[in-house]
Amino acid sequence: ASKLPRIHWLEATGRESIIFYVVHFPAIVIAYRLSQHLDLQYWLMVALCAGSGFGIPYIFYLLRNQLRFLFRFPDKRALKRM
């Protein structure tokens, strides 16, 4: 069986998929509301929402080491103290 070529950016997206999953929807909602507030044309609103849906999660992905606390469960010892 032949192996498919590796796609490194797709592998990285899979490993860190929680970032993309959690961030994309709020980014799109905020972009949509901003486009309504600015009364943008439809095509511009679609471009803004699509760009936000991909771009903002990608920025969070690039900053994942600094923002790790947003995407991890607290450790069990911290939960016991609560």
Side-chain angles (χ1 to χ4, degrees):
S2 65
K3 283 181 113 179
L4 294 174
R6 293 181 74 171
I7 304 171
H8 295 288
W9 67 268
L10 191 56
E11 289 177 6
T13 302
R15 281 191 302 274
E16 304 292 341
S17 62
I18 187 69
I19 296 171
F20 291 90
Y21 180 76
V22 169
V23 174
H24 85 281
F25 186 70
I28 293 170
V29 169
I30 291 168
Y32 177 73
R33 292 201 175 155
L34 179 64
S35 69
Q36 284 184 321
H37 179 71
L38 297 175
D39 197 30
L40 297 179
Q41 295 177 351
Y42 178 75
W43 66 270
L44 198 52
M45 182 263 306
V46 170
L48 179 64
C49 289
S52 297
F54 289 106
I56 293 174
Y58 184 68
I59 291 169
F60 272 68
Y61 167 75
L62 293 175
L63 298 171
R64 68 190 176 277
N65 291 329
Q66 292 84 5
L67 301 173
R68 183 67 62 194
F69 67 95
L70 293 174
F71 306 104
R72 297 281 174 158
F73 282 111
D75 105 7
K76 291 180 183 180
R77 289 172 287 182
L79 290 174
K80 287 181 182 177
R81 283 184 242 143
M82 296 180 133

